[in-house]
Amino acid sequence: MNFHQYYPVDIVNGPGTRCTLFVSGCVHQCPGCYNKSTWSLNSGVRFTAEMEDRIIADLNDTRISRQGLSLSGGDPLHPQNVPDILKLVKRIRQECPGKDIWLWTGYLLSELTAEQQQVVDLINVLIDGKFVKELADPSLVWRGSSNQIVHKLR
C-alpha cells in the first residue's frame, strides 16, 4: 500500500484530536473529488512497518492526547489496500485501548467484500458512498455529499 499524507495531529478529519492517514488508490474517481492526486495506487510513498509503528506510537503518545485514527484517501478499502489496513486496525485494537477508528470509502456498506468487511468489523465509524458533486453540501458534517452515510458501528 502507498500513502499520500500522514498527519500525526489533526483536528479536521473526524472528532477531537486525531491521527489521519490518506492512502493511495481509488477506483471510484468521483467527479469533483478534492483529492484526485490519491487516485493512482502507485502515487505517494510506500507504507512501511516503520510508518505503522509511528502511527501506533502517536496514538499512544500521552503528551498530545488523540481520540483515534482517521483513514481516508484515495480509498482505504481499495482491494489492494485492505491487507495493510486490516493489519493496522488490528494493531490499533490490540495496542491502543480506547482509540476510535473512522474510515471514509466510496464503497457502500451493503456492497463490501468479505475482506473489506473484516476491516469494517474493527472500526467505529464508516462514512460510505461516492462523492456526488450535484449533492455536495458544505454544511454536512464529516461528509461531502448528502448521499454519503455516517454509520456509527460501535
Side-chain angles (χ1 to χ4, degrees):
M1 175 175 81
N2 284 2
F3 73 100
H4 263 255
Q5 188 69 46
Y6 171 63
Y7 296 102
V9 179
D10 183 15
I11 58 168
V12 176
N13 295 289
T17 302
R18 320 181 61 72
C19 299
T20 298
L21 180 69
F22 288 91
V23 302
S24 302
C26 185
V27 298
H28 308 292
Q29 301 185 357
C30 304
C33 174
Y34 76 94
N35 226 354
K36 288 182 183 180
S37 64
T38 65
W39 288 358
S40 171
L41 281 167
N42 299 321
S43 62
V45 295
R46 190 82 196 131
F47 185 77
T48 62
E50 293 78 20
M51 189 60 181
E52 184 177 297
D53 290 343
R54 179 177 174 198
I55 292 170
I56 298 297
D58 288 342
L59 286 169
N60 287 323
D61 182 355
T62 57
R63 295 170 300 160
I64 303 172
S65 179
R66 277 95 163 181
Q67 183 171 328
L69 175 69
S70 292
L71 296 165
S72 192
D75 196 326
L77 293 183
H78 185 290
Q80 289 187 24
N81 292 336
V82 167
D84 287 320
I85 292 295
L86 181 59
K87 183 177 177 230
L88 176 61
V89 298
K90 282 182 176 180
R91 274 195 72 191
I92 292 168
R93 285 287 163 243
Q94 292 173 353
E95 300 176 36
C96 306
K99 304 299 180 183
D100 65 21
I101 303 169
W102 285 49
L103 188 149
W104 282 257
T105 183
Y107 297 99
L108 295 175
L109 182 58
S110 62
E111 64 188 14
L112 297 180
T113 66
E115 292 79 16
Q116 291 167 324
Q117 188 62 51
Q118 286 181 353
V119 172
V120 172
D121 288 345
L122 295 170
I123 67 171
N124 300 81
V125 176
L126 176 75
I127 297 89
D128 77 345
K130 296 175 186 176
F131 172 75
V132 177
K133 192 175 181 178
E134 296 76 25
L135 299 176
D137 181 349
S139 72
L140 295 171
V141 178
W142 314 131
R143 55 200 178 117
S145 57
S146 60
N147 62 297
Q148 296 170 314
I149 298 172
V150 178
H151 298 275
K152 295 179 181 175
L153 305 171
R154 57 172 73 201

